[in-house]
């Protein structure tokens, strides 16, 4: 895998998300490890090789104005929110309902029966994970057991399908003066830094807002832990393009306009501003399946 690194000095005036993006891209290119015999392939059958880092952690203090939104590239935030609603509100794994919601990127993972297997939303429904979380956060807010885990071994054995990437969220409540503040950490076993990472951040921050809305809590910290953060070999030109970009002065905004119960929230209830300003990546991007 060849790569010509042309890095500019990181601007300390960048928002925190842009700083993380530049720093992690630089580390990936200069210190990343090369995989061997990868499972994913491109559509032409070529193995999708990657360079990767392990144990990458990002922290955003939302309560004090830090947000997980980059200005270096566009983010499909609306589609990301639709996917979170498909998983945690609709709670199924049907590709038909995904397409009806405007989500088509799961088509490549059809296991042959029009679903992605017992994964994501179907796992949430089977184990009643969302309702259990809302109940425990409401009834025992200061518990240290607020966890939703989609990596259920029996589900993985029962059906084919991609193993969940964004598979766990951990939640904590703290009280500051009279406000109840909710912190959330998203845990991923694997994250494609060019194609999906920033969509995952936006959609799981949206999930944090949805849970806060249901409980009348305030969003506190949003943290993102990725155990294997990677760039595929055919995305290296895109990585170089991003390294050369300057951040925008406009900060993207994602808020809920109204407090509602979790299952009543709709896409139009979100205030989405500033996500259309960042430029799209010019380099051609191929998905690795």
């Amino acid at each position: 895998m060849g790569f010509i690194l042309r890095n500019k000095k990181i601007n300390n005036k960048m928002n925190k998300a842009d700083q993380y993006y530049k720093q992690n891209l630089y580390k990936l290119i200069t210190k990343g490890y090369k995989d061997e015999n990868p499972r994913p392939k491109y559509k032409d059958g070529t193995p999708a090789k990657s360079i990767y880092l392990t144990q990458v952690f990002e922290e955003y203090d939302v309560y004090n104005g830090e947000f997980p939104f980059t200005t270096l590239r566009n983010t499909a935030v609306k589609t990301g929110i639709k996917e979170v609603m498909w998983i945690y509100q609709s709670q199924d794994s049907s590709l038909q309902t995904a397409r009806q919601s405007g989500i088509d990127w799961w088509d490549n993972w059809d296991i042959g029966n029009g679903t992605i297997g017992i994964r994501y939303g179907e796992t949430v429904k089977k184990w009643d994970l969302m309702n259990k979380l809302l109940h425990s956060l409401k009834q025992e807010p200061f518990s240290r057991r607020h966890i939703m885990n989609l990596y259920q071994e029996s589900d993985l054995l029962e059906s084919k399908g991609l193993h969940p990437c964004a598979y766990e969220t951990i939640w904590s409540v703290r009280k500051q003066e009279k406000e109840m503040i909710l912190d959330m950490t998203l845990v991923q076993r694997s994250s494609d830094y060019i194609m999906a990472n920033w969509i995952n951040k936006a959609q799981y921050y949206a999930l944090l807002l949805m849970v806060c809305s249901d409980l009348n809590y305030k969003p506190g910290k949003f943290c993102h832990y990725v155990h294997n953060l990677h760039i595929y070999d055919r995305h290296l030109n895109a990585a170089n393009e991003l390294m050369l970009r300057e951040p925008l002065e406009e900060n993207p905004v994602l808020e809920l306009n109204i407090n509602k119960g979790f299952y009543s929230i709709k896409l139009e209830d979100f205030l989405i501003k500033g996500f259309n300003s960042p430029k799209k990546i010019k380099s051609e991007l191929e998905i690795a399946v």
Side-chain angles (χ1 to χ4, degrees), residues 30-206:
T30 61
K31 299 180 181 180
Y33 303 95
K34 295 181 180 180
D35 64 6
E36 298 180 9
N37 303 316
R39 177 198 59 78
K41 291 181 174 56
Y42 298 112
K43 285 188 176 181
D44 63 7
T46 303
K49 296 182 179 181
S50 69
I51 55 174
Y52 66 94
L53 298 172
T54 61
Q55 299 170 311
V56 178
F57 185 80
E58 299 181 19
E59 179 185 61
Y60 299 91
D61 189 349
V62 175
Y63 190 81
N64 288 305
E66 296 176 354
F67 298 95
F69 309 129
T70 183
T71 70
L72 295 171
R73 47 96 43 91
N74 66 308
T75 302
V77 62
K78 288 185 179 180
T79 309
I81 294 173
K82 290 176 184 177
E83 183 183 56
V84 150
M85 291 177 167
W86 176 57
I87 295 171
Y88 294 100
Q89 285 184 333
S90 300
Q91 300 181 6
D92 70 34
S93 63
S94 164
L95 291 170
Q96 181 179 357
T97 59
R99 293 187 204 102
Q100 289 171 349
S101 299
I103 308 155
D104 59 10
W105 54 46
W106 277 107
D107 287 355
N108 292 303
W109 286 275
D110 188 339
I111 66 169
N113 63 355
T115 79
I116 59 172
I118 304 176
R119 302 291 188 269
Y120 290 103
E122 192 164 342
T123 292
V124 172
K125 183 177 181 179
K126 179 178 177 180
W127 301 102
D128 200 22
L129 298 179
M130 193 69 241
N131 291 326
K132 287 177 179 176
L133 175 72
L134 292 172
H135 179 79
S136 67
L137 285 169
K138 191 175 299 182
Q139 298 300 320
E140 298 180 278
F142 301 107
S143 169
R144 297 186 290 269
R145 299 178 177 181
H146 304 306
I147 298 171
M148 275 200 300
N149 191 307
L150 309 186
Y151 212 89
Q152 300 291 334
E153 291 291 341
S154 61
D155 294 354
L156 303 183
L157 292 171
E158 191 172 336
S159 73
K160 296 185 296 182
L162 181 70
H163 287 208
C165 297
Y167 74 89
E168 184 173 84
T169 52
I170 307 172
W171 310 71
S172 295
V173 178
R174 51 193 165 94
K175 195 169 186 178
Q176 187 167 315
E177 296 180 351
K178 294 183 178 181
E179 289 186 318
M180 299 288 274
I181 299 174
L182 183 60
D183 300 326
M184 187 255 272
T185 299
L186 168 63
V187 182
Q188 288 193 242
R189 63 171 180 84
S190 170
S191 181
D192 180 339
Y193 209 30
I194 298 297
M195 296 292 284
N197 183 276
W198 291 96
I199 297 174
N200 290 147
K201 284 180 173 61
Q203 65 185 166
Y204 275 87
Y205 176 67

Side-chain angles (χ1 to χ4, degrees), residues 241-252:
E241 181 183 334
L242 290 166
M243 289 293 293
L244 292 170
R245 287 188 177 181
E246 292 293 337
L248 302 180
E249 292 184 6
E250 181 178 2
N251 287 321

Side-chain angles (χ1 to χ4, degrees), residues 8-16 18-19 22-23 246-247:
K8 293 184 178 181
K9 186 177 180 180
I10 291 177
N11 182 352
N12 290 329
K13 294 183 179 180
M14 295 181 190
N15 71 31
K16 198 169 188 179
D18 290 337
Q19 289 184 42
K22 290 264 190 177
Q23 289 167 358
E246 292 293 337

